[in-house]
Amino acid sequence: MSKNKLIYLFSEGNKSMKTLLGGKGANLAEMMSIGLPVPPGFTVTTEACNEYYSKGGTITQDLKSEIFKALSKIEEDTDKKFGDKLNPLLVSVRSGAVISMPGMMDTVLNLGLNDETVKGLSKKTDNERFALDSYRRFIQMFGDVVLKIEHHLFEKQLDQIKKRYNVTEDTELTIEALKELIDSYKQITKAETGREFPQEPKEQLLLAIQSVFDSWNNQRAKVYRDIHDIAHDLGTAVNIQAMVFGNMGEDSGTGVAFTRNPSNGEKEVYGEFLLNAQGEDVVAGIRTPKSIDQLEKDFPKAYKQFMEVSALLEKHYQDMQDIEFTVENKKLYLLQTRNGKRTAEAAVKIAVDMYNEKLITKKSALTRVEPNQIAHLLHPQIDLEQELKVLTKGLPASPGAATGELVFDSNEAEELSSQGKKVILVRPETTPDDIHGIVAAEGILTTRGGMTSHAAVVARGMGKPCVTGCDEARVDLDNQELKVNDKIIQKGEIVSIDGSTGNLIMGSVKLTDPGLNEECQKLLKWADEIESVGVRANADTPEDAKKAREFGATGIGLCRTEHMFMGTERLPKIQEMIISDSEIEREEALEKLLPYQEQDFYEILKAMDGYPTTIRLLDPPLHEFLPNVHSVKKDLDKLINQYGENSHQVEQQRQLLNKVRSLEESNPMLGFRGCRLGILYPEIYIMQAKAIARAAKTLVDEGYTPKPEIMIPLVGHDKELVILKEMIEDVIEKHTRSEHEQKLYHIGTMLELPRACVTADEIAEHAEFFSFGTNDLTQTALGYSRDDAEGKFLAHYMQNEIIPENPFMTIDQKGVGELITTAVDKASRTKPGIKLGVCGEHGGDSQSIEFFYKVGLNYVSCSPFRVPVARLSAAQAALKLQEE
Amino acid sequence: MSKNKLIYLFSEGNKSMKTLLGGKGANLAEMMSIGLPVPPGFTVTTEACNEYYSKGGTITQDLKSEIFKALSKIEEDTDKKFGDKLNPLLVSVRSGAVISMPGMMDTVLNLGLNDETVKGLSKKTDNERFALDSYRRFIQMFGDVVLKIEHHLFEKQLDQIKKRYNVTEDTELTIEALKELIDSYKQITKAETGREFPQEPKEQLLLAIQSVFDSWNNQRAKVYRDIHDIAHDLGTAVNIQAMVFGNMGEDSGTGVAFTRNPSNGEKEVYGEFLLNAQGEDVVAGIRTPKSIDQLEKDFPKAYKQFMEVSALLEKHYQDMQDIEFTVENKKLYLLQTRNGKRTAEAAVKIAVDMYNEKLITKKSALTRVEPNQIAHLLHPQIDLEQELKVLTKGLPASPGAATGELVFDSNEAEELSSQGKKVILVRPETTPDDIHGIVAAEGILTTRGGMTSHAAVVARGMGKPCVTGCDEARVDLDNQELKVNDKIIQKGEIVSIDGSTGNLIMGSVKLTDPGLNEECQKLLKWADEIESVGVRANADTPEDAKKAREFGATGIGLCRTEHMFMGTERLPKIQEMIISDSEIEREEALEKLLPYQEQDFYEILKAMDGYPTTIRLLDPPLHEFLPNVHSVKKDLDKLINQYGENSHQVEQQRQLLNKVRSLEESNPMLGFRGCRLGILYPEIYIMQAKAIARAAKTLVDEGYTPKPEIMIPLVGHDKELVILKEMIEDVIEKHTRSEHEQKLYHIGTMLELPRACVTADEIAEHAEFFSFGTNDLTQTALGYSRDDAEGKFLAHYMQNEIIPENPFMTIDQKGVGELITTAVDKASRTKPGIKLGVCGEHGGDSQSIEFFYKVGLNYVSCSPFRVPVARLSAAQAALKLQEE
């Protein structure tokens, strides 16, 4: 016998019981408890689901009897009887996971209908058309979801019958047509499953529940959980609820509404409504719905009630709600409420507005926005200064703009994307089976469906541009083309979409540099008020430095100097340096680079006036500045043909070839780079130090306060740092005129080798700061060459949960994190209060930022566009830790 | 004022004061204290040397006055007076470091002579020839060592005068000739230094002492210390001692003797003696000396006395002694004693003999042999079954055989060796300036000099074959050829030398597999009795496995399976597997490899009957089994020419090219290899496990006890191990018939990634053993690609003491060692008593073994030839730790 209570009536639960009842179940119970019109029902718990799995996928006798006991309670409340020929109770069976997974799980409506009860329903409601419509819906959904019959078989039949009866909408189907449809559906069922459509309502119910349980582990649900980092062992609850009918005729309907606009956050009830329809018609985007405002005209009483409910629920939940409702014969029923998904822009506005409305606290507001959503705000927008070839306009379902080649198939989208191509996925409508295509595409366009259709919801979640309901366009899958009025666009042609306006545009478009709006700036200012890690930016150019300041970076955490050698004027000079055989020749070549470096440093330090700027001295192996062996050899052959074996030109090229060969490495990642270069070719670092010192001197003269932090890369042994630090200090001393000026400088090192971490106590003696180079530290600690791993085995490792996530995106806490913790401990023992930062890509990742804050780093540094994300992440990390 | 006593008379010291007085000074004092005939003198301490350096290289007034005070004490004892024109005291000035550094430091004899005192000496001894000979020696040595005049200038003059006077030996020079020589030496001095030869004895003395101090930091001394791991800050003492003269005529002489034979360890006084000569004549090998036995005939009384002294000193020091002595007018004087350097063979024999003679304990015997000497014993010897073109025979100065191209210059030897060539260095005689040439050469041959000449001593120390005194051969440096009787051998020709017989052989020779002699086996058995780390071998073939057992390995610590894929029959099959596109094709190809692997495992496990055998599953990246892109492309072009674009052959080759390209990696060291292969291509590891299981099953049937330990390489995440372990266990289960049989197997992993070390607690849950792969762990922890580092910066790093030693030879204790310690701690916490080993190259390195023992590993594994070394190292590590 099971010890736990496996079933809760809605009247027994409340919103705090999410883990047990799932989000949907808990909220249905809560709504019922505060007196809202919720049809009666009960929830089978997530524990029951897990028990189901632990029993190898069988529903126990105990559970069965609990289910039927609860069912009889609904019968009492509704005064109907499940399976009764005269007064049949129909129920919906819906999944309800702890964390909302829209479109991922399965739903069956109108359950309890069979050849007998349909007649009873018809008589009882005096609406044969309605009863038959419900029955055909039931067979189709049950057939698809429970019996796993391909749903296009039903669709085809529906289309044929609509053609035969010469109607376009489902609602126009006559009784006769519906009867024919039901018969053909039953035939399909028999042909596909080898047995009659199950007529016994209790069997239907158990099969449906089992099917919901099973759907927890179907492929699309798993993919969704992987993408959204949801644990796979939470399980799903199942909600069984008395049906109310939106398809009972023209005084019925069904809808979905948000208490605020989910696209821009405006304070207005925002939703969609379909007359004479059931819920799935809205979600699947089969018909394009009416705006919620029209409800007022159609059902003024229900509309007024819904507005009140909407305000009540938002206040009750202290968050914007996403509400499903049905109007049955003008009477309002609530079928679901949950915190509504929203765009980044909306999330920010709602959070700030709710604080202003005194609905929530500042701290609470800060937790209302996912840091990654801030990144979406910085999505490029279409530059309005250009002429756009707008083909047509759909609904602006998810903001941002995207350009790519047209593709009509999700598999193909994935395939092309893996080849590095940008694609726009176009579908009549999307289903959860398209999830991988949506992930792969730059943007999504559907010709059908509304703002709450599958495509719209999923794309908003991912921050991808999306246009839906683009009904002037028609997808021709056979010919792989998109017809817009009389224009035909072929697969592979380049189009753009603007998810903020709904435009479909021919060709590619110019995008604007995005910025942060006022609300977002306010929210980030609140974030900065929370004591946490500082946020700096990785910036290699004066432009980046300015951008970094604009986005609120309080310094540069990583300025890579090698990029400064890459310009067309500069590259030949660094090459000259590399090819030189003597120190003197190298110094001469470097002397030519000095003015460029000095100018760069001048501008960067000026942009960061008063803020620390960490400049990393030359890091990559020298061969990165030279052409590869093959191209040098090819050129050599050409020169021999042109000038003869013994010419000066050939001699020079041969010298280059020898140099390129001598610099080849079998594992450049672990090779002759970083401070190893500085030790063997001190003249390089001396030139760089000189450029920094001269730039700083000029700035001081001009009244600025440059704060250069000179960072020596790839230190593994303290003596490396000792030697180079002394060398650099000599240069600085020569270029400064006072102790005050010298104090502007700091010299430190990047910790990016495991050895550096475990000997951080020794290295700290000679360093004024440490910055963890988590990219390389991840490569060395895990023994993963990023280039090789991502192409060869990393995807397999993540899919098979050998590693929890991509360690190059989110810090590997157990491995790399342990080395960082060790280093922090050891360094602090030698030099308490030593400044500690991180400048790998992880510096912009929320989860990683939380870790860095916990181990006590002073700042993180990331790309300028991630700075706002990091500022919010840092605040959330601190708030979370305060709570714990 | 200096607080320390900076000078000790010999009568004030004893052998325990080595650190202060240096080895030579302490032993002179000790000999004096036990009543042996030592000429009086005193020692300037190593502290004085360090004070000299701390004062920037000046001798303080305090030290000067102490020196002259001590000198007056010698004057008293000898009844002579320093600088006195009638009865002059002459002294030797010799360096004396704490650890003996033969030939590295400078010596000046006959100091105190000048144009006046030489006359007094002449009169007083009534031996003008002797006095003049001493004076010319003094000017030459002082000129060379103190005044830094190139010594070949003196040599040339000596040769010219010998020619002019038509004599061959120095001893044949007449008074007239000597006077001429002295004049020309003084002229050389003036020409080279711009001043007269210093005539003031006190100035001579101070300059000489300063010069000894300075010589501590000359290039050759530094190199010697680097090679022998001697600290650079020990400093040297200086010994000032009254001269006794071996060059006083035919009843005088000088010699060097060992209390036992330093070449084979036989218990017999073994030495050399030169009549009418001074010490440096013997050491420099200028004349070929007489055997010590002849002393008996020439000076029977002194001989008898020397034999007694020899026995006494050996007993007193409980070790074989290397004694310098001089006979002046038939009277014996002792000038030095020290523990004698010896060959590996001698070291072992002496240790075992002395234990048998009850002179030392077993434990003491074990510390008498440097573990690396054992490796020398395993030096290949010339196979006597072949016909040898023996050109001539010299003295067997250091055992072992070597083949290489003839080279006459040390710089050239170094140059060629760095190009990977093997060279035999041939010199008339070697000096400390040749040290880098000796390091670089495979073997050394000198035409002059004896068993105690510079070449002989240094070569023995390094375990390099050496032949000296090969006087039938003549080196012609001008023509760069070696003349042996009428045969001329040019630079670059291939010769061989046999240091065990003294043979010089034309061409290359076949070598025998060396073994361990009886004494060595006995010593190693004693070593095994000491509780310490076990010693296993790295062995990939049945032959290696047998060799491993022969050398006393108690298991195989690493059997690399990839080498088994490399045979000409096998390689095509693994290539077939790699090129296959489907799992089924791969399985078919692997099926063909199975019998080979099974046979290999059968034989290896049989050879190791009853001993554990750690088999590492496939580790290297697959591209290592394929030809490289360029050669595949070349072949493709050929095939296109031959068969046309669309032929089957071209299609196949194109497929190969694609595969080779797809497997290319930017950092193969950090790429798709190790268990990552096993995870993505499970069929490979399944085949290997099957081969092991089938081999073991057969052996069990045959009555053997195979103990396979299956090792999974490159694990970084515990789940990798979980997945692969389960897979392998399935295979084993299928091939075993009882629990007893299953218990023969163990499954573990190699720890070779920093992440594996810091998460060893998690990994240990699933592993039955760990083996540290210190090669790869060093690469990842330090971020050094071994191939790249050794070619590019490692040498510079070691020379500049950025790293203390090559981390691929001796474990980097602070970095890699710290990770190992962490892993041991964590693993033991999860699974106390988990079996821990090491199988990198460090497993055969003495210093590393001591570390591994300290951190608690159970065994080390190294190449079969290093096994005896490791056994002794292990014992010594344990003894050392017991002492501490």
Side-chain angles (χ1 to χ4, degrees), chain B residues 36-50:
Chain B
L36 296 180
V38 174
F42 61 88
T43 303
V44 184
T45 67
T46 55
E47 277 176 10
C49 176
N50 287 329

Side-chain angles (χ1 to χ4, degrees), chain A residues 32-150:
Chain A
M32 185 171 269
S33 77
I34 60 176
L36 296 180
V38 175
F42 61 89
T43 304
V44 184
T45 66
T46 55
E47 276 176 11
C49 176
N50 289 328
E51 193 175 298
Y52 169 81
Y53 277 110
S54 74
K55 300 268 187 236
T58 42
I59 295 177
T60 60
Q61 212 48 55
D62 288 326
L63 182 56
K64 277 183 198 165
S65 63
E66 281 207 52
I67 287 168
F68 296 125
K69 213 172 96 196
L71 192 62
S72 65
K73 203 75 178 76
I74 304 183
E75 290 173 335
E76 269 173 44
D77 289 350
T78 57
D79 207 15
K80 294 176 182 173
K81 228 174 153 57
F82 194 60
D84 192 86
K85 285 176 194 169
L86 299 175
N87 185 21
L89 168 68
L90 302 192
V91 298
S92 64
V93 177
R94 298 195 291 169
S95 60
V98 177
I99 295 161
S100 162
M101 292 165 62
M104 291 295 106
M105 302 295 300
D106 298 313
T107 295
V108 178
L109 301 181
N110 309 304
L111 189 139
L113 281 176
N114 57 24
D115 294 349
E116 297 302 320
T117 53
V118 73
K119 289 177 199 154
L121 182 65
S122 169
K123 262 187 213 149
K124 174 94 185 161
T125 59
D126 196 18
N127 191 340
E128 185 173 10
R129 201 208 154 277
F130 150 70
L132 290 171
D133 184 54
S134 300
Y135 195 24
R136 68 96 187 167
R137 286 172 186 272
F138 172 54
I139 300 176
Q140 182 173 350
M141 274 183 123
F142 193 91
D144 173 13
V145 168
V146 181
L147 303 177
K148 312 293 177 206
I149 298 165
E150 300 237 15

Side-chain angles (χ1 to χ4, degrees), chain A residues 140-323:
Chain A
Q140 182 173 350
M141 274 183 123
F142 193 91
D144 173 13
V145 168
V146 181
L147 303 177
K148 312 293 177 206
I149 298 165
E150 300 237 15
H151 76 116
H152 75 92
L153 293 174
F154 296 114
E155 297 288 348
K156 221 167 103 190
Q157 203 57 42
L158 180 61
D159 283 350
Q160 278 176 9
I161 283 178
K162 273 154 87 177
K163 242 177 233 162
R164 194 152 355 114
Y165 286 84
N166 201 20
V167 301
T168 54
E169 298 288 333
D170 302 356
T171 47
E172 296 168 317
L173 288 169
T174 59
I175 289 172
E176 195 183 347
L178 286 167
K179 280 185 173 162
E180 202 175 312
L181 190 60
I182 289 165
D183 278 346
S184 67
Y185 276 8
K186 288 202 280 191
Q187 276 162 32
I188 290 171
T189 306
K190 181 142 191 214
E192 292 294 312
T193 66
R195 50 165 287 197
E196 299 293 343
F197 186 84
Q199 291 288 322
E200 169 53 43
K202 286 192 176 176
E203 186 194 356
Q204 289 172 0
L205 181 60
L206 293 176
L207 282 173
I209 291 172
Q210 183 157 7
S211 190
V212 172
F213 283 162
D214 289 344
S215 75
W216 171 255
N217 272 336
N218 71 24
Q219 203 47 41
R220 65 195 198 212
K222 280 188 192 168
V223 170
Y224 187 94
R225 291 199 294 270
D226 280 339
I227 293 172
H228 292 87
D229 275 334
I230 298 169
H232 291 290
D233 61 357
L234 292 176
T236 180
V238 189
N239 299 292
I240 290 93
Q241 186 174 25
M243 281 296 297
V244 286
F245 301 97
N247 60 336
M248 244 186 205
E250 293 302 310
D251 57 359
S252 298
T254 190
V256 175
F258 295 89
T259 56
R260 304 197 183 205
N261 187 317
S263 193
N264 61 24
E266 289 296 333
K267 195 175 178 190
E268 59 181 5
V269 173
Y270 184 92
E272 290 166 336
F273 180 72
L274 269 180
L275 276 183
N276 195 13
Q278 285 200 337
E280 81 275 18
D281 298 342
V282 183
V283 176
I286 288 167
R287 276 186 286 154
T288 305
K290 293 179 175 187
S291 157
I292 190 87
D293 307 329
Q294 290 194 259
L295 191 62
E296 186 168 13
K297 209 176 60 194
D298 295 333
F299 313 115
K301 207 176 133 197
Y303 175 77
K304 192 171 162 257
Q305 190 186 355
F306 183 75
M307 289 299 129
E308 285 164 10
V309 165
S310 173
L312 176 69
L313 282 175
E314 193 180 272
K315 209 166 187 175
H316 188 74
Y317 283 98
Q318 303 198 326
D319 201 353
M320 184 264 258
Q321 294 298 294
D322 167 359
I323 305 166

Side-chain angles (χ1 to χ4, degrees), chain B residues 470-515:
Chain B
C470 193
D471 43 21
E472 269 180 22
R474 246 198 58 223
V475 174
D476 179 345
L477 288 178
D478 289 338
N479 294 310
Q480 294 278 296
E481 36 183 58
L482 183 68
K483 290 184 191 152
V484 183
N485 301 323
D486 53 353
K487 187 159 171 61
I488 290 174
I489 313 158
Q490 305 268 320
K491 186 177 83 167
E493 286 193 63
I494 301 292
V495 296
S496 301
I497 61 169
D498 183 347
S500 312
T501 61
N503 281 338
L504 168 64
I505 299 150
M506 201 58 216
S508 60
V509 292
K510 220 180 108 193
L511 303 173
T512 59
D513 249 17

Side-chain angles (χ1 to χ4, degrees), chain B residues 126-391:
Chain B
D126 197 18
N127 191 338
E128 185 173 10
R129 200 208 156 278
F130 149 70
L132 291 171
D133 184 54
S134 300
Y135 195 24
R136 70 95 186 168
R137 285 172 185 273
F138 172 54
I139 299 175
Q140 182 173 351
M141 275 183 121
F142 193 90
D144 173 13
V145 167
V146 180
L147 303 177
K148 312 293 176 207
I149 298 165
E150 299 239 14
H151 77 115
H152 75 93
L153 293 175
F154 295 115
E155 294 289 348
K156 220 167 106 190
Q157 204 57 41
L158 180 60
D159 282 351
Q160 276 177 9
I161 283 180
K162 272 154 87 175
K163 241 178 232 162
R164 195 155 353 116
Y165 286 84
N166 201 21
V167 301
T168 54
E169 298 288 333
D170 301 357
T171 46
E172 295 168 319
L173 287 168
T174 59
I175 288 172
E176 195 184 348
L178 286 167
K179 280 186 172 161
E180 203 176 311
L181 190 60
I182 289 166
D183 278 348
S184 66
Y185 276 9
K186 289 202 280 191
Q187 276 162 30
I188 290 171
T189 306
K190 181 145 191 211
E192 293 293 314
T193 65
R195 51 165 287 197
E196 299 292 343
F197 187 84
Q199 290 287 322
E200 169 53 43
K202 285 192 175 176
E203 184 193 357
Q204 289 172 359
L205 181 59
L206 294 176
L207 283 173
I209 290 172
Q210 183 157 7
S211 190
V212 171
F213 283 162
D214 289 342
S215 76
W216 171 254
N217 272 336
N218 71 24
Q219 204 47 41
R220 65 195 198 214
K222 281 188 191 168
V223 170
Y224 186 94
R225 290 199 295 269
D226 279 339
I227 294 173
H228 292 87
D229 274 335
I230 299 170
H232 290 290
D233 62 356
L234 292 177
T236 182
V238 191
N239 299 292
I240 289 94
Q241 185 174 26
M243 283 295 297
V244 287
F245 299 98
N247 61 337
M248 245 187 205
E250 294 302 312
D251 58 358
S252 299
T254 188
V256 175
F258 295 89
T259 57
R260 304 198 184 205
N261 186 318
S263 192
N264 61 24
E266 289 297 332
K267 194 176 178 187
E268 59 182 5
V269 173
Y270 183 92
E272 290 166 337
F273 180 74
L274 269 178
L275 275 183
N276 195 13
Q278 285 199 339
E280 81 275 17
D281 298 343
V282 183
V283 175
I286 288 167
R287 278 186 283 156
T288 304
K290 292 179 174 187
S291 157
I292 190 88
D293 306 330
Q294 288 194 261
L295 191 64
E296 185 167 15
K297 210 175 63 194
D298 295 333
F299 313 114
K301 208 175 131 195
Y303 177 77
K304 191 170 162 260
Q305 192 187 355
F306 184 76
M307 289 300 129
E308 285 164 10
V309 166
S310 173
L312 176 69
L313 282 175
E314 193 179 272
K315 208 164 186 175
H316 187 73
Y317 282 99
Q318 301 198 328
D319 201 352
M320 184 265 258
Q321 294 298 295
D322 166 0
I323 305 166
E324 285 180 25
F325 62 96
T326 283
V327 176
E328 185 189 273
N329 293 327
K330 298 195 175 160
K331 189 168 173 343
L332 177 73
Y333 291 97
L334 297 173
L335 299 178
Q336 171 158 327
T337 192
R338 59 184 170 186
N339 293 341
K341 295 211 180 268
R342 60 206 84 174
T343 64
E345 195 187 332
V348 171
K349 184 167 168 52
I350 291 169
V352 173
D353 283 353
M354 283 190 167
Y355 169 74
N356 289 335
E357 294 161 22
K358 305 215 159 87
L359 212 58
I360 58 177
T361 65
K362 232 186 228 185
K363 282 182 183 176
S364 184
L366 281 171
T367 63
R368 290 301 168 85
V369 180
E370 260 299 307
N372 279 327
Q373 287 190 308
I374 301 282
H376 299 160
L377 281 185
L378 298 172
H379 270 180
Q381 304 290 330
I382 289 181
D383 185 349
L384 297 175
E385 300 283 293
Q386 65 198 313
E387 221 170 88
L388 299 172
K389 278 194 233 165
V390 176
L391 291 170

